[in-house]
């Protein structure tokens, strides 16, 4: 179906006018509703749509079998991918997962466990495209609504690894759905510690994609020396690297802690990461050569724990300028936290 004809190009039309919902009237309703919500983002649906007929129309739209999450998202997703392909500079794809809590909506079926397992909802894995140089948000390149399953008692490691709905697949699935960058362009995945999975890192190496991931696992790695290799703990090695210089980083407020400006010491090196002895996920047996960038805060405020970022990347990081850029890229990850806040509160 072509975009609705004769309509003024507005936000709803630009992002949802090509939605394939089985009926042009449904697409028109989706476009109108998107514009109404944009004009009044806060509050509940009755607050956003004061006209009872409009609210009832939205409920009918959502109840239609053809109106799925994927069908509604696809035109916006394609618009975002188009913007990414048109961008001449580096594009960061910030991946992160948040919880959508629908525990009190007892009529909603098909929800999964969230929190400590006592609440119901979705894990929403977002892939937000951001222009690296300007921090301009291009849109959602992908979004996965994931239902965390009830894992059967006695599940073996092999059974867990093969299960299609395991949560650790989200990082690879999100990246696969976006695909490779056009020739000569660079799209870089940016992930927090949840993305520090050998399965995901190995996938990015095999597919030729780039990433910057904050390290979670203090795994054993191998470090090249002039005549041999030595084994080290990753985080110990990162902290021992000689300083390349310093950089100012803006640390956002979080969990009641105010934001601040931090001065960090920058260092970088290269390690060889062997695969887990007991496979975790789907990956090969070859080790991965990747860069390590360390940013440790110097002289934090009294009573404040020093910030530290140990980043893993397959983008070359030699020298202060490149290592500093990787830290700047990772700092863009905080943009998705603001998106999550807007997603949940309007």
């Amino acid at each position: 179906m072509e975009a609705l004809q004769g309509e003024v190009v507005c936000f709803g039309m630009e992002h949802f006018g090509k939605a394939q919902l089985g009926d042009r009237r449904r697409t028109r309703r989706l476009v109108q509703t998107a514009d109404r919500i944009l004009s009044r983002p806060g509050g509940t649906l009755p607050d956003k749509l004061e006209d009872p007929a409009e609210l009832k129309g939205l409920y009918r739209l959502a109840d239609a079998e053809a109106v799925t999450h994927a069908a509604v998202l696809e035109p916006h997703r394609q618009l975002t991918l188009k913007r990414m392909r048109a961008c001449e500079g580096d594009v960061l794809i910030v991946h992160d997962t948040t919880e959508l809590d629908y525990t009190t909506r007892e009529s909603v079926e098909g929800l999964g466990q969230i929190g400590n397992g006592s609440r119901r909802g979705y894990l929403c894995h977002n892939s937000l495209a951001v222009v690296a140089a300007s921090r301009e948000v291009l849109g959602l390149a992908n979004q996965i609504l994931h239902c965390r399953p009830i894992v059967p008692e006695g599940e073996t490691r092999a059974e867990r690894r093969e299960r299609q709905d395991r949560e650790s697949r989200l990082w690879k699935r999100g990246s696969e759905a976006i695909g490779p960058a056009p020739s000569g362009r660079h799209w870089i995945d940016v992930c927090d510690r949840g993305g520090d999975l050998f399965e995901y890192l190995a996938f990015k190496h095999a597919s030729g994609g780039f990433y910057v991931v904050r390290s979670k696992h203090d795994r054993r790695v191998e470090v090249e020396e002039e005549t041999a290799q030595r084994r080290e703990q990753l985080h110990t090695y990162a902290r021992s690297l000689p300083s390349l210089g310093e950089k100012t980083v803006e640390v956002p407020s979080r969990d009641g802690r105010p934001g601040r400006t931090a001065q960090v010491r920058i260092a970088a090196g290269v390690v060889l990461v062997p695969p887990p002895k007991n496979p975790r996920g789907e990956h090969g047996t070859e080790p991965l050569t990747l860069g390590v960038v360390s940013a440790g805060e110097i002289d934090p405020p009294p009573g404040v724990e020093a910030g530290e970022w140990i980043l893993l990347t397959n983008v070359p990081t030699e020298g202060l300028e490149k290592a500093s850029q990787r830290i700047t890229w990772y700092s863009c990850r905080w943009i998705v936290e603001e998106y999550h806040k807007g997603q949940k509160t309007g």
Side-chain angles (χ1 to χ4, degrees):
M1 183 184 75
E2 297 296 327
L4 302 179
Q5 300 297 314
E7 302 278 0
V8 176
V9 178
C10 53
F11 173 86
M13 179 61 63
E14 182 181 20
H15 292 267
F16 303 107
K18 294 183 179 180
Q20 305 287 318
L21 305 181
D23 190 308
R24 292 169 60 87
R25 292 170 296 181
R26 291 175 186 155
T27 304
R28 185 173 286 111
R29 172 67 66 183
L30 175 62
V31 168
Q32 293 170 348
T33 301
D35 285 333
R36 295 289 190 276
I37 291 175
L38 178 68
S39 67
R40 185 172 292 181
T44 64
L45 284 174
D47 294 327
K48 302 172 194 290
L49 305 172
E50 292 183 313
D51 184 341
E54 282 191 333
L55 183 60
K56 188 174 181 179
L58 173 58
Y59 290 151
R60 285 199 304 268
L61 177 70
D63 199 40
E65 187 174 345
V67 183
T68 64
H69 170 261
V72 170
L73 178 66
E74 189 61 15
H76 168 77
R77 204 176 78 87
Q78 291 301 325
L79 176 63
T80 301
L81 291 171
K82 180 180 179 181
R83 291 172 172 176
M84 292 167 62
R85 296 183 188 107
C87 183
E88 295 184 359
D90 296 329
V91 175
L92 308 177
I93 306 170
V94 185
H95 300 269
D96 200 19
T97 305
T98 191
E99 293 183 343
L100 303 181
D101 192 338
Y102 295 106
T103 304
T104 60
R105 304 295 189 264
E106 297 181 0
S107 62
V108 180
E109 300 178 352
L111 301 176
Q113 304 174 82
I114 59 172
N116 62 7
S118 64
R119 306 191 69 79
R120 299 165 60 250
Y122 294 109
L123 295 180
C124 183
H125 187 82
N126 292 307
S127 302
L128 198 67
V130 178
V131 179
S134 65
R135 301 171 72 94
E136 175 191 358
V137 176
L138 299 178
L140 271 176
N142 198 59
Q143 184 181 74
I144 301 170
L145 294 182
H146 178 75
C147 289
R148 181 182 285 154
I150 297 175
V151 178
E153 290 187 21
E155 183 182 47
T156 66
R157 184 190 298 270
E159 289 171 338
R160 180 169 61 252
R161 186 171 62 248
E162 294 171 3
R163 184 156 38 83
Q164 293 301 308
D165 59 358
R166 61 177 163 84
E167 194 173 319
S168 54
R169 290 185 187 272
L170 290 174
W171 307 90
K172 180 179 175 182
R173 285 177 56 196
S175 186
E176 279 182 317
I178 296 167
S183 178
R185 305 292 175 83
H186 294 98
W187 295 352
I188 303 100
D189 284 3
V190 177
C191 311
D192 69 0
R193 287 178 286 193
D196 184 11
L197 303 163
F198 192 89
E199 176 183 41
Y200 166 73
L201 301 180
F203 161 73
K204 295 303 294 184
H205 281 252
S207 63
F210 297 114
Y211 63 82
V212 174
V213 175
R214 187 174 179 187
S215 172
K216 176 181 180 180
H217 303 293
D218 191 14
R219 48 171 68 88
R220 294 279 284 180
V221 297
E222 296 181 355
V223 180
E224 289 280 357
E225 295 184 327
E226 290 185 6
T227 58
Q229 291 182 332
R230 75 174 191 275
R231 290 190 173 184
E232 286 259 20
Q233 293 299 126
L234 173 61
H235 293 179
T236 301
Y237 168 71
R239 293 167 184 144
S240 70
L241 288 165
S243 175
L244 294 172
E246 297 180 5
K247 176 181 175 61
T248 299
V249 176
E250 296 299 323
V251 182
S253 59
R254 189 172 184 180
D255 300 329
R257 294 172 294 185
R260 68 182 191 280
T261 299
Q263 193 72 13
V264 298
R265 170 188 174 277
I266 300 174
V270 177
V271 297
L272 193 67
V273 178
K277 290 182 179 179
N278 296 312
R280 298 177 181 177
E282 298 170 344
H283 55 76
T285 58
E286 294 298 315
L288 304 177
T289 300
L290 48 87
V292 179
V293 178
S294 172
E297 185 174 6
I298 303 168
D299 296 327
V304 176
E305 183 180 357
E308 180 185 51
W309 300 271
I310 296 175
L311 308 178
L312 308 177
T313 182
N314 62 346
V315 186
T317 57
E318 303 89 350
L320 176 61
E321 182 178 356
K322 291 182 179 179
S324 178
Q325 185 184 56
R326 307 300 167 259
I327 296 167
T328 298
W329 286 353
Y330 183 76
S331 71
C332 290
R333 198 203 68 79
W334 298 319
I335 296 172
V336 80
E337 301 286 358
E338 294 300 313
Y339 171 71
H340 291 164
K341 186 187 300 181
Q343 186 180 17
K344 296 177 181 181
T345 67

